[in-house]
Amino acid sequence: MAKNLPSSARVVVIGGGIMGCSVAYHLTKMGWTDVVLLEQHQLTAGTTWHAAGLVGQLRNSENLTRITRYAIDLYGQLEAETGQATGFKQNGALTLAQTEGRFTELRRHAVMAGTFGIECHVVGSSEVKRRWPMAEVNDLQGAIWLPYDGQTNPTDTTQALAKGARQGGAKVIEGVAVRGIETRGGAVAAVSTDQGRIACEYVVACAGLWTRELTAPLGVTMPLHASEHMYIVTEPMDGITSTLPVLRDYDARLYFKEDAGKLLVGVFEEEAKPWGMGGIPEGHEFGVFDADWDHFEPYMLAAIHRIPGLETAGIRQFLNGAESFTPDQRYMLGEAPELRNLYIGAGFNSIGIASAAGAGKALVEWLIGGEMPMDLWEVDIRRFMPFEANPSYLRDRTVEAVGEMYAMHWPYKQYRTARNARLLPTHERLRDLGAQFGVVAGWERPLWFNPDGPAPAPDYTYGPQPWWPFAAEECRAAREDVALFEMTPFAKYLIQGAEAESYLQRLCANDIAGPVGKATYTQLLNARGGIEADLTVTRLAESQFLMVTSAGSAVHDLDWLRRNLADGERVSLTDVGSAYATLGLMGPKSRDLLGQLSRSDLSNEAFPFGSMREIDLGYAMAMAVRISYVGELGWELYLPAEFTLPVYDRLVEAGAGFGLRHAGLQAQDSLRLEKAFKHWGHDIGPDDTPLQSGLGFACAFDKEIPFIGRDALLRQREEGLTRRLVTFTVDEGEPLLLHEEPVFRDGELVGGTTSGAMAHTLGRPICMAYVANAGGVSADYIRAGGYQIDVAGERFPATAHLAPPYDPKGERMRG
């Protein structure tokens, strides 16, 4: 039947699953009523209809926990608001640990929950038995109990959101298939369907499994792949009551949920079954796959062990449906960097019911406000590299990605699948030297080196890391002799044109003007004063600059540059990342080593800190930038890619006489924390300002062209800080500091860690953490407190540092 489509709408939402309906609902709640939601079949088609309906609150960061916690509030009141039942209830949730490693992980989650305001209790097997009498508990190390976790009926909850959207003025139209998105001038212009065209200003793509196919013709990077996902539902069982909490047995990769007197048993298997490599077939909206008992059998046996009553229970349904997964098991949110006004909400990795309420609200706030409402970098679509949309890559990673949902999340754990996508020019040399590689933005980067031979297989633990002795030697070399860091993955952008300087002055908080050869450390800020990027800008010529930023934020930072380029501004932006390799030579003997290979004047007078010179190096000409992320005398050497190996070989050969040692990312992390150098995405981000994070020195408030965020910082400076980034060292013991460990001042919770490591030069664990106090965070306040850091329920005394613990005046890297 032909639908009566409007000819235009302000916003078109594509997809009638729970995410699309949440977006339409929240748009109307925020006053945007000219909204059309299109669903190709019926509401809930695709994945929502067969979702298990779990609404867990706790995630690995505060903001993602805020996202899921909002679902508890919204789903709890939707029925009263709309008259549509949702089936929402809060029976709580138990998560079990069979191993000591898992129990440590859960205890860390429990104390982290406290910093987020989530009630969470560490319990023993007797408490599990009390709340789940049918469960076998004799093999458990313990569990955590979240009393306010919920569950809901996905279909009914989606219908309630759709009804709320209609009540707010949105049009929700089923049975209309979107055939394409039209563009004009780099932005969306209309949606074409099988029943007509709708002109629009914005499109929000929440098409689930179909989102990649929908956006691929637009050149949008959409790393999304479908996989089979299985659960069974039993016949009614004795002992299954409506008040049973959700039960998760991560070590068995299982979850259990009461379902109208029956038991739903779901699995996140270790080796998944990717599907849809040839596209999603026509008519799959409510499609299912055949029951695969051979695949499910090992998990069924584990389920019978945990719930012995399952052995004699009848099976009413084996449901095997398709769900979409991303390479890192986090969903995608935000405006597509390739096309203005196209917003994405997709790839929910089996947590769509719990996430859709808050993710829909956040995406609408992003759309209306023009920038993310809080730091959502973990789920920002711009975290993905273009190659990650490669179908072969996605297929291979999906085999592992599904199981990672319930796998052990060991510190420093690396993916097994879809490796060796991006190799350093020196990869084989480093491999032969015993490099243990890890993945960063697809790059194989050395984490640490075993100089005695090939790197052993990772030995994951929550205790002291087995690679600490190797990293300690690498740190010693950087502090005492010279260390070589492979830094090629840096993202590099050439910014040039008649108005390049004024453009960068507007974007950069620091003053990037000055003579050719000046290298400037700076941040790019949003209107709130939050840090959108942390990078360096080097002046190569009067109207030419090189911007260097981290590999992981390459797409994000380039998008920020483009979206802040004014119409007609005489500036060009060129990604030159693959054109140049980068070697970092750091340590007190780095000048002497470079002097063996170059005739250039490397003295402090001729080549001061914060400057760039073109130098001869072997047979190459290198752009050398005197800057340091480890706090020692050193240079970043930028070489045309084809010269990399000859120069590298010469450096290594000459370096033997200076004690040169190869160093990896783990040593770099330790060294930079000793110097209180920040890491974007951990210590600083869009919610953090330079004033809060100790980077006010990099803000040029009085430069002629005001930078974005300047007014917000001036207001913050006038009002005073109530939150401040502080470096801490642990006084006793060697706890493994990662992130989100609670920090206590005189027994009161004041913050959580942002990153941590073993400080090998100092011989103790080190971390950064934001300390908050409504009355202010002056230096006197920080110094006056006694601090403890909670790691898995054990508190360790710590010392606060307002200056870097190592070389606080920065004399070594400037010498």
Side-chain angles (χ1 to χ4, degrees):
M1 179 182 297
K3 306 294 180 180
N4 185 21
L5 295 185
S7 60
S8 65
R10 191 174 190 185
V11 185
V12 174
V13 181
I14 304 173
I18 195 165
M19 181 59 184
C21 290
S22 175
V23 168
Y25 172 87
H26 285 98
L27 280 166
T28 63
K29 284 295 180 183
M30 296 181 195
W32 285 33
T33 58
D34 188 11
V35 175
V36 173
L37 183 148
L38 301 176
E39 163 55 45
Q40 66 179 338
H41 198 273
Q42 297 173 11
L43 296 183
T44 77
T47 299
T48 298
W49 71 273
H50 64 74
L54 308 184
V55 189
Q57 301 173 84
L58 186 59
R59 295 293 180 263
N60 287 327
S61 70
E62 184 172 6
N63 282 347
L64 290 192
T65 298
R66 287 171 60 189
I67 291 281
T68 51
R69 193 174 186 180
Y70 173 72
I72 299 291
D73 299 330
L74 179 62
Y75 297 164
Q77 57 87 30
L78 261 182
E79 182 173 351
E81 177 189 338
T82 66
Q84 165 69 50
T86 62
F88 177 74
K89 56 185 179 180
Q90 288 176 274
N91 288 358
L94 283 162
T95 302
L96 313 180
Q98 297 182 35
T99 65
E100 184 57 40
R102 180 73 73 179
F103 196 32
T104 299
E105 180 177 89
L106 294 186
R107 293 200 307 272
R108 281 178 171 262
H109 286 176
V111 296
M112 180 176 66
T115 68
F116 301 160
I118 301 291
E119 185 175 341
C120 181
H121 306 277
V122 178
V123 299
S125 56
S126 61
E127 179 67 7
V128 175
K129 190 71 173 178
R130 186 178 77 82
R131 295 189 179 277
W132 250 91
M134 299 176 65
E136 167 61 51
V137 300
N138 289 333
D139 61 341
L140 299 182
Q141 297 286 326
I144 57 174
W145 164 241
L146 290 105
Y148 296 108
D149 270 15
Q151 56 194 79
T152 197
N153 182 301
T155 296
D156 289 345
T157 305
T158 301
Q159 293 288 355
L161 288 166
K163 187 174 182 180
R166 289 190 187 101
Q167 290 172 342
K171 294 179 178 66
V172 178
I173 307 175
E174 298 174 285
V176 177
V178 173
R179 299 306 188 199
I181 298 171
E182 299 177 21
T183 67
R184 183 170 51 250
V188 300
V191 169
S192 59
T193 80
D194 61 351
Q195 299 183 41
R197 176 182 184 273
I198 304 175
C200 59
E201 186 178 350
Y202 297 92
V203 170
V204 185
C206 304
L209 304 170
W210 291 266
T211 309
R212 182 158 66 98
E213 292 182 9
L214 176 69
T215 59
L218 305 170
V220 173
T221 297
M222 184 63 55
L224 191 65
H225 204 293
S227 174
E228 297 183 31
H229 189 58
M230 308 171 193
Y231 64 72
I232 64 166
V233 181
T234 70
E235 297 289 353
M237 292 176 62
D238 291 339
I240 302 296
T241 68
S242 62
T243 58
L244 272 179
V246 171
L247 188 70
R248 295 182 176 91
D249 188 346
Y250 284 162
D251 293 308
R253 298 178 177 274
L254 296 167
Y255 63 89
F256 305 85
K257 179 198 126 176
E258 179 274 334
D259 186 78
K262 305 177 288 295
L263 191 62
L264 185 154
V265 183
V267 59
F268 287 95
E269 64 270 39
E270 186 173 5
E271 297 286 333
K273 298 178 66 179
W275 173 80
M277 281 70 77
I280 310 302
E282 197 77 26
H284 188 78
E285 292 83 3
F286 286 96
V288 293
F289 309 114
D290 292 338
D292 189 342
W293 281 106
D294 289 340
H295 190 76
F296 196 79
E297 182 182 19
Y299 305 100
M300 188 66 195
L301 293 174
I304 291 171
H305 166 76
R306 183 61 57 214
I307 311 295
L310 279 169
E311 187 168 16
T312 56
I315 305 300
R316 172 168 291 190
Q317 181 184 27
F318 187 123
L319 196 145
N320 186 5
E323 297 199 23
S324 54
F325 291 84
T326 62
D328 62 3
Q329 301 87 58
R330 297 194 300 272
Y331 52 89
M332 293 179 285
L333 216 61
E335 186 179 13
E338 299 89 351
L339 184 62
R340 295 282 79 91
N341 295 348
L342 173 63
Y343 284 79
I344 307 294
F348 278 89
N349 299 271
S350 287
I351 59 168
I353 306 303
S355 304
K361 181 175 183 288
L363 188 58
V364 167
E365 291 172 338
W366 197 334
L367 184 154
I368 293 175
E371 59 183 39
M372 66 172 68
M374 56 182 171
D375 186 353
L376 293 171
W377 171 241
E378 292 173 276
V379 294
D380 190 332
I381 190 173
R382 294 171 293 179
R383 72 188 185 275
F384 287 116
M385 303 295 115
F387 85 90
E388 290 179 278
N390 178 292
S392 297
Y393 173 88
L394 287 173
R395 190 265 173 209
D396 291 350
R397 175 57 58 80
T398 300
V399 171
E400 179 181 10
V402 176
E404 279 300 301
M405 300 297 293
Y406 275 20
M408 273 295 299
H409 301 110
W410 291 112
Y412 310 107
K413 184 178 179 181
Q414 294 293 320
Y415 289 107
R416 296 176 287 105
T417 56
R419 295 293 297 265
N420 294 322
R422 306 176 80 180
L423 299 182
L424 302 167
T426 57
H427 179 84
E428 292 186 8
R429 303 277 206 281
L430 302 181
R431 180 199 60 201
D432 293 344
L433 290 169
Q436 174 67 55
F437 290 100
V439 180
V440 180
W443 287 98
E444 297 290 332
R445 299 197 66 179
L447 302 176
W448 47 271
F449 290 82
N450 176 14
D452 299 324
D459 182 13
Y460 294 123
T461 175
Y462 273 105
Q465 298 297 294
W467 43 262
W468 276 358
F470 300 113
E473 280 302 302
E474 294 166 22
C475 290
R476 184 204 57 75
R479 295 285 187 236
E480 299 177 10
D481 298 317
V482 60
L484 181 63
F485 295 86
E486 233 296 3
M487 307 169 83
T488 295
F490 274 157
K492 313 167 192 81
Y493 308 117
L494 194 63
I495 302 170
Q496 53 191 340
E499 296 178 282
E501 180 182 307
S502 60
Y503 163 74
L504 286 170
Q505 288 290 62
R506 188 174 76 250
L507 267 65
C508 298
N510 212 341
D511 187 355
I512 58 87
V516 172
K518 177 186 176 184
T520 305
Y521 171 60
T522 186
Q523 289 76 45
L524 312 183
L525 310 181
N526 56 42
R528 306 188 307 274
I531 300 171
E532 291 287 345
D534 182 67
L535 41 80
T536 59
V537 176
T538 299
R539 187 165 213 153
L540 306 182
E542 185 64 27
S543 58
Q544 188 179 72
F545 297 82
L546 179 70
M547 178 177 284
V548 177
T549 186
S550 66
S553 60
V555 174
H556 171 280
D557 292 0
L558 183 56
D559 177 64
W560 189 262
L561 293 175
R562 287 172 173 162
R563 71 173 53 246
N564 285 288
L565 185 63
D567 290 340
E569 199 162 17
R570 293 175 294 169
V571 176
S572 68
L573 307 174
T574 308
D575 184 346
V576 295
S578 295
Y580 293 95
T582 310
L583 301 175
L585 201 64
M586 303 290 161
K589 297 179 183 178
S590 58
R591 179 181 281 124
D592 295 333
L593 172 53
L594 270 184
Q596 293 287 306
L597 303 178
S598 177
R599 299 179 182 180
S600 302
D601 188 346
L602 304 173
S603 67
N604 205 38
E605 295 73 24
F607 205 151
F609 182 80
S611 62
M612 180 278 294
R613 302 285 186 269
E614 187 175 57
I615 67 172
D616 63 292
L617 194 58
Y619 292 150
M621 297 302 295
M623 182 167 54
V625 181
R626 192 172 161 203
I627 201 163
S628 174
Y629 193 48
V630 301
E632 298 292 341
L633 170 70
W635 282 264
E636 292 176 2
L637 306 171
Y638 294 84
L639 295 153
E642 66 271 23
F643 288 97
T644 307
L645 283 179
V647 170
Y648 165 84
D649 288 339
R650 288 191 174 216
L651 282 171
V652 171
E653 182 181 5
F658 297 90
L660 180 140
R661 192 180 185 108
H662 288 75
L665 290 180
Q666 305 296 7
Q668 179 179 278
D669 207 38
S670 174
L671 294 164
R672 68 99 183 168
L673 279 164
E674 292 176 340
K675 281 293 298 171
F677 291 158
K678 286 71 179 173
H679 187 283
W680 191 88
H682 291 92
D683 311 306
I684 53 178
D687 288 346
D688 313 305
T689 73
L691 301 182
Q692 294 169 331
S693 53
L695 296 172
F697 69 88
C699 295
F701 289 101
D702 56 353
K703 64 180 180 179
E704 184 176 344
I705 299 176
F707 56 87
I708 296 171
R710 174 180 175 272
D711 291 345
L713 292 188
L714 291 174
R715 288 193 299 271
Q716 187 177 74
R717 189 168 67 177
E718 184 177 345
E719 294 166 358
L721 298 179
T722 57
R723 181 172 173 268
R724 182 171 184 172
L725 189 61
V726 178
T727 300
F728 290 92
T729 53
V730 173
D731 299 334
E732 302 171 11
E734 292 188 345
L736 187 64
L737 300 179
L738 300 169
H739 60 87
E740 310 296 353
E741 290 96 359
V743 176
F744 293 86
R745 180 185 183 274
D746 297 336
E748 177 185 358
L749 179 66
V750 292
T753 63
T754 56
S755 64
M758 171 57 72
H760 295 291
T761 310
L762 305 177
R764 66 194 71 178
I766 190 169
C767 65
M768 290 187 186
Y770 282 97
V771 173
N773 177 47
V777 284
S778 65
D780 289 342
Y781 171 84
I782 299 296
R783 294 191 187 100
Y787 295 91
Q788 292 178 312
I789 299 174
D790 190 320
V791 180
E794 183 179 358
R795 295 189 184 182
F796 294 84
T799 298
H801 302 267
L802 291 175
Y806 177 83
D807 188 26
K809 295 183 179 179
E811 294 170 333
R812 294 178 64 88
M813 64 184 182
R814 291 179 169 82

